[in-house]
Amino acid sequence: DTGVSQDPRHKITKRGQNVTFRCDPISEHNRLYWYRQTLGQGPEFLTYFQNEAQLEKSRLLSDRFSAERPKGSFSTLEIQRTEQGDSAMYLCARGQGTNTGELFFGEGSRLTVL
Amino acid sequence: AQSVSQHNHHVILSEAASLELGCNYSYGGTVNLFWYVQYPGQHLQLLLKYFSGDPLVKGIKGFEAEFIKSKFSFNLRKPSVQWSDTAEYYCAVTTNAGNMLTFGGGTRLMVKP
């Protein structure tokens, strides 16, 4: 158990629809991350929260993507007007230890855009 | 910005063979280095990490990695692999310049029983 729950585990949607993914760390952790992983590639950083503050965003995060962590606990990642290129595994992770590289990952939410 | 290269995309070994997976990074400053592993159907998990000190670090399940600063490398090794080591292995790096963990493209290891 990684202490990170993600929902839904798999989402199939049509191009142009909006989707939202949720990440629940088992207990409140200061650091929460979103990554995206496409087939055959390593995970790519999307965004980082320190408590409720979104401190860093990747250039991969276009205007169609938005992430929130309203109370510093759970987080949501919304993709508007989905495109086929958005098909990927979306991973949430919480920080462990004091180094930014030590992460507990959830099992991910797989998005398929038809 | 930093980047990570893993040159072996697919590796097939028989049980008891020795393993070495290559990892090179590009960044001119101080780095922290990691290997993550993803077993089939499971989540990504930390295998080992290097921050400073002894460049030879040991992780779980008999894995070790050596940081060679002059070669910008952090290769993963295991003297004798088992079938249960079949997984995807990712090298990753952080720097003092940001909060992101940058991953390599991964190496798929298959161990034949």
Side-chain angles (χ1 to χ4, degrees):
Chain A
D1 184 9
T2 64
V4 179
S5 177
Q6 292 191 244
D7 182 69
R9 294 290 307 280
H10 195 179
K11 177 73 176 178
I12 301 173
T13 191
K14 293 182 179 179
R15 189 175 53 187
Q17 298 296 305
N18 299 343
V19 296
T20 299
F21 300 113
R22 180 179 169 119
C23 172
D24 279 278
I26 192 169
S27 59
E28 290 193 11
H29 284 266
N30 290 344
R31 297 183 283 122
L32 187 144
Y33 303 78
W34 285 97
Y35 282 78
R36 180 174 71 184
Q37 186 173 22
T38 52
L39 204 61
Q41 302 295 319
E44 297 171 296
F45 171 80
L46 291 179
T47 191
Y48 160 66
F49 288 87
Q50 175 84 19
N51 298 315
E52 66 274 13
Q54 188 175 21
L55 296 186
E56 198 164 340
K57 289 172 60 173
S58 164
R59 288 175 221 171
L60 294 174
L61 221 62
S62 74
D63 292 344
R64 296 185 297 105
F65 288 70
S66 62
E68 294 182 344
R69 195 181 184 199
K71 295 183 180 179
S73 55
F74 73 92
S75 176
T76 58
L77 176 69
E78 182 184 16
I79 309 173
Q80 296 182 326
R81 305 181 302 282
T82 53
E83 301 173 356
Q84 287 185 324
D86 297 331
S87 295
M89 180 74 85
Y90 290 85
L91 300 170
C92 179
R94 64 176 174 90
Q96 59 168 319
T98 56
N99 190 281
T100 55
E102 294 185 80
L103 302 178
F104 275 124
F105 282 87
E107 297 194 18
S109 292
R110 182 172 295 282
L111 174 65
T112 302
V113 182
L114 302 176
Chain B
Q2 65 269 31
S3 65
V4 180
S5 296
Q6 294 181 243
H7 307 295
N8 313 104
H9 298 294
H10 290 93
V11 174
I12 302 174
L13 295 173
S14 297
E15 276 195 315
S18 64
L19 170 71
E20 180 160 6
L21 301 182
C23 171
N24 288 89
Y25 67 92
S26 65
Y27 186 74
T30 302
V31 294
N32 299 309
L33 296 155
F34 306 83
W35 278 95
Y36 276 80
V37 61
Q38 188 166 26
Y39 298 103
Q42 295 188 28
H43 58 89
L44 265 171
Q45 55 188 288
L46 183 64
L47 191 59
L48 49 76
K49 60 193 177 187
Y50 172 79
F51 296 154
S52 63
D54 188 345
L56 184 64
V57 292
K58 295 188 184 300
I60 59 173
K61 302 186 181 185
F63 285 91
E64 65 180 31
E66 184 175 13
F67 171 49
I68 303 180
K69 189 174 182 179
S70 61
K71 294 184 178 180
F72 297 89
S73 69
F74 190 55
N75 291 356
L76 181 71
R77 299 195 292 249
K78 185 172 184 178
S80 175
V81 295
Q82 300 173 317
W83 175 79
S84 59
D85 293 325
T86 294
E88 192 92 22
Y89 292 82
Y90 295 94
C91 182
V93 62
T94 62
T95 73
N96 294 336
N99 294 295
M100 72 174 75
L101 183 62
T102 300
F103 285 88
T107 297
R108 178 163 294 181
L109 171 67
M110 178 184 293
V111 180
K112 295 181 176 180

